Amino acid sequence: MAKFLLIPLIAYCLIVAALVLSQRHFLYPAPPAGGGVPIGFTAIEYPTSDGLTLRAGYRAAAPDRPTIVYFHGNGADWQSSVVATDRLVPAGYGVLAAEYRGYQGNPGNPSEKGLYSDGRAAIAWLQQQGVDRSNLVMIGNSIGGGVATQMASEGAAAALVLISPFNSLSQLVAEKMPWLPTSLLLRDHYRNDQKLAEIDAPILILHGDADTLIPVGHARQLAATNNAAQLEIFPGAGHDLAWQDSAERRVLDFLNGNAGKLTALENPSE
């Protein structure tokens, strides 16, 4: 009997050890590097505080229009952010399609702390180009919502849009793997739920009710943390919501509808 009990225990310990050692490989499945520079965008480089140089893409805003800093999901790249903003660019919005360490041939290894550093580096580069922090809109898709939320919590957003976000990575992983002590094993947590309540800016949260990767309940929980947050659920939409025209139109309506607030934030003395 002891031998029969020992075998599954050893197997369980091996699974736990494998997940502990390789969790960031699963959390950040960067696609193969490749792809050119989309028309209208420029390839840019900016340094991080820990000595990396990241490559990303940029398109300047039309006069008096905000600039979007777009943080993509964990299995995507900055070129996919261009596709997800193709209805915003014709309206004059600028886009910095941010990229992460370890993605698209960039040096370094992804982590929560590292991605936050990468987000700050993108914002610092924009400031060097004369784009003020108060003229920035943060948009984050999936795990990129964690980076966007962190940047907004640091005061770097006139508005925040989260698409298919999780309430926290800790909660999501615990739901996916209830048989593991994830609270003890997980290195990256992305506590969006703790940060969103403190953000004083227009907030839009979009989620599909057919999303099987991040259940729609996460978006509802997030929206409940901030009374100012607008929540829209898209019937039948999955985790690819960010690239659907209906989501892009909703983001455009949200930004245009908050144009007066964004202008007020750009000109706080008026």
Side-chain angles (χ1 to χ4, degrees):
M1 178 64 72
K3 290 182 179 179
F4 284 116
L5 292 176
L6 187 60
I7 291 173
L9 178 60
I10 292 174
Y12 178 82
C13 291
L14 289 174
I15 292 172
V16 169
L19 289 174
V20 169
L21 295 174
S22 61
Q23 61 181 268
R24 283 180 172 152
H25 173 76
F26 291 110
L27 288 176
Y28 307 103
V37 179
I39 295 174
F41 279 74
T42 301
I44 61 171
E45 293 185 346
Y46 44 82
T48 67
S49 60
D50 54 349
L52 302 178
T53 298
L54 304 182
R55 293 177 294 277
Y58 176 64
R59 181 183 178 119
D64 301 321
R65 277 298 204 181
T67 295
I68 292 163
V69 185
Y70 198 103
F71 298 103
H72 64 71
N74 61 359
D77 52 35
W78 75 261
Q79 287 92 339
S80 71
S81 303
V82 174
V83 178
T85 54
D86 60 5
R87 284 188 175 273
L88 303 174
V89 166
Y93 291 94
V95 177
L96 195 163
E99 194 52 283
Y100 310 134
R101 61 190 62 206
Y103 281 71
Q104 278 297 79
N106 282 330
N109 298 306
S111 67
E112 180 180 9
K113 180 181 178 181
L115 265 60
Y116 291 163
S117 178
D118 300 345
R120 296 183 190 109
I123 293 167
W125 184 88
L126 282 170
Q127 289 182 282
Q128 292 171 1
Q129 313 310 306
V131 181
D132 192 81
R133 291 165 66 96
S134 63
N135 201 20
L136 298 178
V137 174
M138 300 293 133
I139 300 183
N141 178 40
S142 192
I143 203 169
V147 187
T149 299
Q150 177 66 31
M151 297 304 103
S153 73
E154 296 176 5
L160 172 65
V161 178
L162 303 177
I163 306 172
S164 307
F166 44 66
N167 194 43
S168 73
L169 184 63
S170 308
Q171 176 183 332
L172 179 65
V173 174
E175 292 171 353
K176 298 289 186 181
M177 300 179 176
W179 44 276
L180 280 176
T182 54
S183 60
L184 299 176
L185 303 177
L186 199 62
R187 298 177 185 175
D188 297 342
H189 301 277
Y190 293 98
R191 292 303 304 266
N192 299 334
D193 53 340
Q194 294 181 349
K195 300 166 187 173
L196 201 72
E198 306 301 322
I199 294 174
D200 184 20
I203 301 169
L204 175 66
I205 302 174
L206 309 180
H207 214 110
D209 66 2
D211 191 332
T212 56
L213 182 61
I214 302 177
V216 68
H218 282 255
R220 294 194 173 101
Q221 286 179 278
L222 266 182
T225 67
N226 192 311
N227 292 331
Q230 299 179 36
L231 171 65
E232 182 152 342
I233 307 300
F234 291 76
H239 200 63
D240 62 346
L241 177 63
W243 296 281
Q244 295 186 17
D245 283 348
S246 56
E248 287 194 63
R249 286 195 299 267
R250 183 64 184 91
V251 173
L252 184 58
D253 290 344
F254 168 75
L255 295 180
N256 289 341
N258 282 282
K261 294 180 181 179
L262 298 180
T263 301
L265 287 168
E266 294 166 27
N267 302 283
S269 63
E270 297 182 7

mmCIF file of all heavy atoms in Angstrom, residues 13-39:
data_model
loop_
_atom_site.group_PDB
_atom_site.id
_atom_site.type_symbol
_atom_site.label_atom_id
_atom_site.label_comp_id
_atom_site.label_asym_id
_atom_site.label_seq_id
_atom_site.Cartn_x
_atom_site.Cartn_y
_atom_site.Cartn_z
ATOM 1 N N CYS A 13 5.054 15.518 -7.099
ATOM 2 C CA CYS A 13 6.197 16.369 -6.769
ATOM 3 C C CYS A 13 6.988 16.717 -8.015
ATOM 4 O O CYS A 13 7.484 17.849 -8.151
ATOM 5 C CB CYS A 13 7.093 15.672 -5.755
ATOM 6 S SG CYS A 13 6.349 15.512 -4.106
ATOM 7 N N LEU A 14 7.104 15.778 -8.945
ATOM 8 C CA LEU A 14 7.822 16.044 -10.186
ATOM 9 C C LEU A 14 7.082 17.077 -11.034
ATOM 10 O O LEU A 14 7.700 17.953 -11.649
ATOM 11 C CB LEU A 14 8.006 14.740 -10.978
ATOM 12 C CG LEU A 14 9.010 13.735 -10.401
ATOM 13 C CD1 LEU A 14 8.980 12.439 -11.193
ATOM 14 C CD2 LEU A 14 10.413 14.324 -10.390
ATOM 15 N N ILE A 15 5.757 16.972 -11.070
ATOM 16 C CA ILE A 15 4.955 17.946 -11.818
ATOM 17 C C ILE A 15 5.106 19.334 -11.203
ATOM 18 O O ILE A 15 5.288 20.331 -11.903
ATOM 19 C CB ILE A 15 3.475 17.522 -11.840
ATOM 20 C CG1 ILE A 15 3.304 16.249 -12.673
ATOM 21 C CG2 ILE A 15 2.597 18.643 -12.404
ATOM 22 C CD1 ILE A 15 1.916 15.655 -12.604
ATOM 23 N N VAL A 16 5.044 19.408 -9.874
ATOM 24 C CA VAL A 16 5.204 20.683 -9.184
ATOM 25 C C VAL A 16 6.578 21.282 -9.486
ATOM 26 O O VAL A 16 6.709 22.472 -9.806
ATOM 27 C CB VAL A 16 5.021 20.508 -7.666
ATOM 28 C CG1 VAL A 16 5.452 21.772 -6.931
ATOM 29 C CG2 VAL A 16 3.566 20.182 -7.344
ATOM 30 N N ALA A 17 7.607 20.453 -9.419
ATOM 31 C CA ALA A 17 8.964 20.935 -9.669
ATOM 32 C C ALA A 17 9.098 21.447 -11.100
ATOM 33 O O ALA A 17 9.714 22.494 -11.345
ATOM 34 C CB ALA A 17 9.966 19.818 -9.408
ATOM 35 N N ALA A 18 8.516 20.717 -12.054
ATOM 36 C CA ALA A 18 8.600 21.130 -13.458
ATOM 37 C C ALA A 18 7.905 22.464 -13.675
ATOM 38 O O ALA A 18 8.406 23.338 -14.397
ATOM 39 C CB ALA A 18 7.986 20.058 -14.351
ATOM 40 N N LEU A 19 6.757 22.642 -13.046
ATOM 41 C CA LEU A 19 6.015 23.888 -13.197
ATOM 42 C C LEU A 19 6.724 25.057 -12.526
ATOM 43 O O LEU A 19 6.704 26.180 -13.027
ATOM 44 C CB LEU A 19 4.601 23.726 -12.643
ATOM 45 C CG LEU A 19 3.660 22.836 -13.466
ATOM 46 C CD1 LEU A 19 2.345 22.628 -12.744
ATOM 47 C CD2 LEU A 19 3.424 23.430 -14.845
ATOM 48 N N VAL A 20 7.345 24.789 -11.399
ATOM 49 C CA VAL A 20 8.092 25.850 -10.713
ATOM 50 C C VAL A 20 9.247 26.323 -11.582
ATOM 51 O O VAL A 20 9.487 27.524 -11.740
ATOM 52 C CB VAL A 20 8.611 25.356 -9.350
ATOM 53 C CG1 VAL A 20 9.614 26.344 -8.765
ATOM 54 C CG2 VAL A 20 7.447 25.168 -8.386
ATOM 55 N N LEU A 21 9.955 25.390 -12.171
ATOM 56 C CA LEU A 21 11.141 25.726 -12.948
ATOM 57 C C LEU A 21 10.808 26.324 -14.316
ATOM 58 O O LEU A 21 11.578 27.128 -14.846
ATOM 59 C CB LEU A 21 12.014 24.472 -13.134
ATOM 60 C CG LEU A 21 12.632 23.888 -11.851
ATOM 61 C CD1 LEU A 21 13.348 22.584 -12.151
ATOM 62 C CD2 LEU A 21 13.591 24.888 -11.217
ATOM 63 N N SER A 22 9.662 25.941 -14.883
ATOM 64 C CA SER A 22 9.348 26.364 -16.258
ATOM 65 C C SER A 22 8.113 27.248 -16.356
ATOM 66 O O SER A 22 7.618 27.469 -17.458
ATOM 67 C CB SER A 22 9.161 25.129 -17.138
ATOM 68 O OG SER A 22 8.087 24.324 -16.664
ATOM 69 N N GLN A 23 7.643 27.795 -15.237
ATOM 70 C CA GLN A 23 6.376 28.525 -15.266
ATOM 71 C C GLN A 23 6.420 29.724 -16.185
ATOM 72 O O GLN A 23 5.437 30.049 -16.856
ATOM 73 C CB GLN A 23 5.951 28.935 -13.860
ATOM 74 C CG GLN A 23 6.898 29.856 -13.141
ATOM 75 C CD GLN A 23 6.397 30.199 -11.736
ATOM 76 O OE1 GLN A 23 5.706 31.187 -11.533
ATOM 77 N NE2 GLN A 23 6.743 29.348 -10.756
ATOM 78 N N ARG A 24 7.546 30.425 -16.238
ATOM 79 C CA ARG A 24 7.608 31.602 -17.098
ATOM 80 C C ARG A 24 7.656 31.222 -18.573
ATOM 81 O O ARG A 24 7.268 32.013 -19.424
ATOM 82 C CB ARG A 24 8.799 32.477 -16.701
ATOM 83 C CG ARG A 24 8.491 33.273 -15.436
ATOM 84 C CD ARG A 24 9.611 34.147 -14.975
ATOM 85 N NE ARG A 24 9.170 35.002 -13.878
ATOM 86 C CZ ARG A 24 9.979 35.480 -12.931
ATOM 87 N NH1 ARG A 24 11.269 35.188 -12.950
ATOM 88 N NH2 ARG A 24 9.499 36.253 -11.980
ATOM 89 N N HIS A 25 8.111 30.021 -18.862
ATOM 90 C CA HIS A 25 8.037 29.531 -20.238
ATOM 91 C C HIS A 25 6.582 29.373 -20.657
ATOM 92 O O HIS A 25 6.213 29.684 -21.794
ATOM 93 C CB HIS A 25 8.778 28.196 -20.360
ATOM 94 C CG HIS A 25 8.619 27.541 -21.697
ATOM 95 N ND1 HIS A 25 9.286 27.978 -22.819
ATOM 96 C CD2 HIS A 25 7.838 26.498 -22.094
ATOM 97 C CE1 HIS A 25 8.949 27.221 -23.851
ATOM 98 N NE2 HIS A 25 8.078 26.320 -23.445
ATOM 99 N N PHE A 26 5.752 28.910 -19.736
ATOM 100 C CA PHE A 26 4.327 28.747 -20.038
ATOM 101 C C PHE A 26 3.591 30.086 -20.026
ATOM 102 O O PHE A 26 2.650 30.290 -20.800
ATOM 103 C CB PHE A 26 3.690 27.791 -19.027
ATOM 104 C CG PHE A 26 4.144 26.372 -19.161
ATOM 105 C CD1 PHE A 26 4.950 25.795 -18.190
ATOM 106 C CD2 PHE A 26 3.794 25.607 -20.261
ATOM 107 C CE1 PHE A 26 5.389 24.480 -18.308
ATOM 108 C CE2 PHE A 26 4.221 24.295 -20.391
ATOM 109 C CZ PHE A 26 5.017 23.725 -19.418
ATOM 110 N N LEU A 27 4.000 30.988 -19.139
ATOM 111 C CA LEU A 27 3.310 32.269 -19.030
ATOM 112 C C LEU A 27 3.628 33.208 -20.181
ATOM 113 O O LEU A 27 2.803 34.062 -20.539
ATOM 114 C CB LEU A 27 3.687 32.952 -17.709
ATOM 115 C CG LEU A 27 3.116 32.343 -16.431
ATOM 116 C CD1 LEU A 27 3.663 33.082 -15.215
ATOM 117 C CD2 LEU A 27 1.592 32.400 -16.443
ATOM 118 N N TYR A 28 4.810 33.083 -20.753
ATOM 119 C CA TYR A 28 5.253 34.011 -21.800
ATOM 120 C C TYR A 28 5.690 33.239 -23.046
ATOM 121 O O TYR A 28 6.876 33.191 -23.382
ATOM 122 C CB TYR A 28 6.400 34.880 -21.278
ATOM 123 C CG TYR A 28 6.093 35.586 -19.976
ATOM 124 C CD1 TYR A 28 6.597 35.125 -18.759
ATOM 125 C CD2 TYR A 28 5.280 36.722 -19.955
ATOM 126 C CE1 TYR A 28 6.314 35.771 -17.563
ATOM 127 C CE2 TYR A 28 4.990 37.377 -18.765
ATOM 128 C CZ TYR A 28 5.512 36.892 -17.576
ATOM 129 O OH TYR A 28 5.225 37.535 -16.400
ATOM 130 N N PRO A 29 4.730 32.635 -23.752
ATOM 131 C CA PRO A 29 5.068 31.854 -24.951
ATOM 132 C C PRO A 29 5.287 32.772 -26.153
ATOM 133 O O PRO A 29 4.457 32.870 -27.056
ATOM 134 C CB PRO A 29 3.836 30.972 -25.136
ATOM 135 C CG PRO A 29 2.708 31.812 -24.614
ATOM 136 C CD PRO A 29 3.282 32.598 -23.458
ATOM 137 N N ALA A 30 6.418 33.450 -26.173
ATOM 138 C CA ALA A 30 6.699 34.404 -27.248
ATOM 139 C C ALA A 30 6.738 33.694 -28.600
ATOM 140 O O ALA A 30 7.378 32.650 -28.732
ATOM 141 C CB ALA A 30 8.030 35.102 -26.988
ATOM 142 N N PRO A 31 6.046 34.246 -29.601
ATOM 143 C CA PRO A 31 6.092 33.654 -30.933
ATOM 144 C C PRO A 31 7.469 33.840 -31.552
ATOM 145 O O PRO A 31 8.253 34.684 -31.099
ATOM 146 C CB PRO A 31 5.016 34.435 -31.704
ATOM 147 C CG PRO A 31 4.950 35.759 -31.011
ATOM 148 C CD PRO A 31 5.219 35.473 -29.560
ATOM 149 N N PRO A 32 7.780 33.084 -32.600
ATOM 150 C CA PRO A 32 9.079 33.260 -33.264
ATOM 151 C C PRO A 32 9.237 34.689 -33.780
ATOM 152 O O PRO A 32 8.281 35.301 -34.246
ATOM 153 C CB PRO A 32 9.018 32.253 -34.422
ATOM 154 C CG PRO A 32 7.993 31.247 -34.014
ATOM 155 C CD PRO A 32 6.988 31.990 -33.198
ATOM 156 N N ALA A 33 10.450 35.203 -33.669
ATOM 157 C CA ALA A 33 10.721 36.558 -34.149
ATOM 158 C C ALA A 33 10.560 36.605 -35.663
ATOM 159 O O ALA A 33 10.890 35.660 -36.375
ATOM 160 C CB ALA A 33 12.124 36.989 -33.753
ATOM 161 N N GLY A 34 10.035 37.705 -36.154
ATOM 162 C CA GLY A 34 9.838 37.855 -37.588
ATOM 163 C C GLY A 34 8.820 38.934 -37.869
ATOM 164 O O GLY A 34 8.292 39.572 -36.955
ATOM 165 N N GLY A 35 8.545 39.127 -39.125
ATOM 166 C CA GLY A 35 7.586 40.160 -39.492
ATOM 167 C C GLY A 35 8.278 41.488 -39.728
ATOM 168 O O GLY A 35 9.220 41.836 -39.010
ATOM 169 N N GLY A 36 7.801 42.202 -40.707
ATOM 170 C CA GLY A 36 8.391 43.488 -41.025
ATOM 171 C C GLY A 36 7.723 44.622 -40.283
ATOM 172 O O GLY A 36 6.967 44.410 -39.330
ATOM 173 N N VAL A 37 7.999 45.826 -40.735
ATOM 174 C CA VAL A 37 7.426 47.020 -40.129
ATOM 175 C C VAL A 37 6.177 47.402 -40.930
ATOM 176 O O VAL A 37 6.272 47.674 -42.126
ATOM 177 C CB VAL A 37 8.439 48.179 -40.138
ATOM 178 C CG1 VAL A 37 7.820 49.433 -39.529
ATOM 179 C CG2 VAL A 37 9.702 47.775 -39.387
ATOM 180 N N PRO A 38 5.004 47.415 -40.298
ATOM 181 C CA PRO A 38 3.771 47.746 -41.011
ATOM 182 C C PRO A 38 3.813 49.151 -41.611
ATOM 183 O O PRO A 38 4.474 50.053 -41.086
ATOM 184 C CB PRO A 38 2.696 47.639 -39.922
ATOM 185 C CG PRO A 38 3.290 46.730 -38.896
ATOM 186 C CD PRO A 38 4.751 47.035 -38.901
ATOM 187 N N ILE A 39 3.102 49.327 -42.691
ATOM 188 C CA ILE A 39 3.046 50.617 -43.368
ATOM 189 C C ILE A 39 2.531 51.693 -42.405
ATOM 190 O O ILE A 39 1.543 51.495 -41.699
ATOM 191 C CB ILE A 39 2.129 50.532 -44.605
ATOM 192 C CG1 ILE A 39 2.723 49.573 -45.633
ATOM 193 C CG2 ILE A 39 1.936 51.917 -45.237
ATOM 194 C CD1 ILE A 39 1.816 49.313 -46.812
#
